[in-house]
Amino acid sequence: MDNKTVLEKANAAISMGDHETFLSYCSENTKWVFIGDQVLSGKEEVWKYLADAYREPPKFDVEYMISEGDYVTAVGVISLLNKDNQWTDYDYCDVWRFQDGKMAELRGFVIQR
């Protein structure tokens, strides 16, 4: 499976609230860097983040994906249910680095609309 397809399948899983399947596409030592916000290291930290931030499955509108070598960049809008039970829209640009067919590192740029 090519890297773009892996990301598409991972996003489909998270859109259904299936954190376990999503994490199966991540490397054990995956690292997520949300620029200007936080850094998550390893599947356990990512799992905790997903459980908190994605209490309800997020809604994705991926405008486009660009794949080159070990990288896939996704640009679009994600809607998340906040702690006040209101949906909030964010523009995002995710740059994923793949290693051995797994999502090894994320650099995410996220701005509330």
Side-chain angles (χ1 to χ4, degrees), residues 5-49:
T5 302
V6 170
L7 182 55
E8 289 170 339
K9 288 184 175 288
N11 281 347
I14 205 70
S15 292
M16 293 184 296
D18 186 351
H19 299 171
E20 189 170 322
T21 297
F22 176 85
L23 287 170
S24 74
Y25 293 107
C26 294
S27 65
E28 286 301 317
N29 60 345
T30 192
K31 180 178 179 182
W32 291 17
V33 178
F34 294 103
I35 303 301
D37 188 26
Q38 64 181 315
V39 176
L40 306 173
S41 297
K43 280 187 175 181
E44 187 172 326
E45 283 189 15
V46 171
W47 179 268
K48 289 176 185 175
Y49 170 82

Side-chain angles (χ1 to χ4, degrees), residues 3-113:
N3 294 337
K4 185 177 174 184
T5 302
V6 170
L7 182 55
E8 289 170 339
K9 288 184 175 288
N11 281 347
I14 205 70
S15 292
M16 293 184 296
D18 186 351
H19 299 171
E20 189 170 322
T21 297
F22 176 85
L23 287 170
S24 74
Y25 293 107
C26 294
S27 65
E28 286 301 317
N29 60 345
T30 192
K31 180 178 179 182
W32 291 17
V33 178
F34 294 103
I35 303 301
D37 188 26
Q38 64 181 315
V39 176
L40 306 173
S41 297
K43 280 187 175 181
E44 187 172 326
E45 283 189 15
V46 171
W47 179 268
K48 289 176 185 175
Y49 170 82
L50 295 176
D52 182 53
Y54 296 175
R55 292 175 290 113
E56 288 290 324
K59 300 174 186 174
F60 284 101
D61 180 14
V62 179
E63 294 174 23
Y64 57 87
M65 285 188 188
I66 302 167
S67 180
E68 185 173 325
D70 292 334
Y71 292 88
V72 177
T73 299
V75 175
V77 177
I78 185 171
S79 300
L80 301 174
L81 190 65
N82 66 28
K83 295 187 189 287
D84 296 325
N85 288 322
Q86 300 292 320
W87 288 96
T88 305
D89 294 336
Y90 300 88
D91 289 300
Y92 76 91
C93 176
D94 285 349
V95 180
W96 289 95
R97 182 179 61 81
F98 284 74
Q99 185 174 3
D100 300 324
K102 300 275 188 173
M103 298 183 305
E105 184 176 352
L106 164 66
R107 287 182 165 262
F109 302 83
V110 183
I111 301 170
Q112 186 174 341
R113 286 187 140 193

